[in-house]
Amino acid sequence: DIMGIYYKQDICDLLHKAGYTSYNLQENGILNSAGWTRLQKQQPISWDTLDKVCTILQVQPGELFGYKGDEEK
C-alpha cells in the first residue's frame, strides 16, 4: 500500500444491505459508475463521494476507513 488510509469495511456491501444498488445510486445522481468502481476496488475516493456515502449510511468516515502510519505498515 502506498497510502496509509485503508478501507475497514466493504462499502458496496454496506450500501447493498441498506437497500442501494449501483443502478439506483447512478439513476438518482448520487454516485457515478467510476465512483462505484472505486468503492468496489477499495481505491481512493473523492471527498464528495465520501460525504455522500457517509450521509446515506449515517456513519462517520472513521467507521469506514482507518489509517496506518509508517511504523504500522
Side-chain angles (χ1 to χ4, degrees):
D1 286 343
I2 296 171
M3 294 180 59
I5 296 171
Y6 64 94
Y7 282 68
K8 286 181 174 179
Q9 302 191 54
D10 181 337
I11 295 175
C12 292
D13 187 51
L14 294 174
L15 289 166
H16 278 150
K17 287 178 180 172
Y20 293 92
T21 64
S22 61
Y23 178 78
N24 65 24
L25 289 168
Q26 290 175 52
E27 278 295 299
N28 294 311
I30 297 168
L31 199 59
N32 62 26
S33 61
W36 181 260
T37 300
R38 295 183 81 69
L39 290 174
Q40 284 181 308
K41 294 181 178 180
Q42 297 197 346
Q43 296 175 331
I45 58 172
S46 69
W47 287 114
D48 185 54
T49 299
L50 178 61
D51 180 59
K52 288 175 180 178
V53 167
C54 288
T55 299
I56 290 169
L57 297 175
Q58 293 294 292
V59 296
Q60 294 294 315
E63 295 175 65
L64 303 174
F65 298 94
Y67 176 78
K68 291 183 215 167
D70 287 338
E71 68 283 349
E72 300 174 59
K73 288 184 185 174

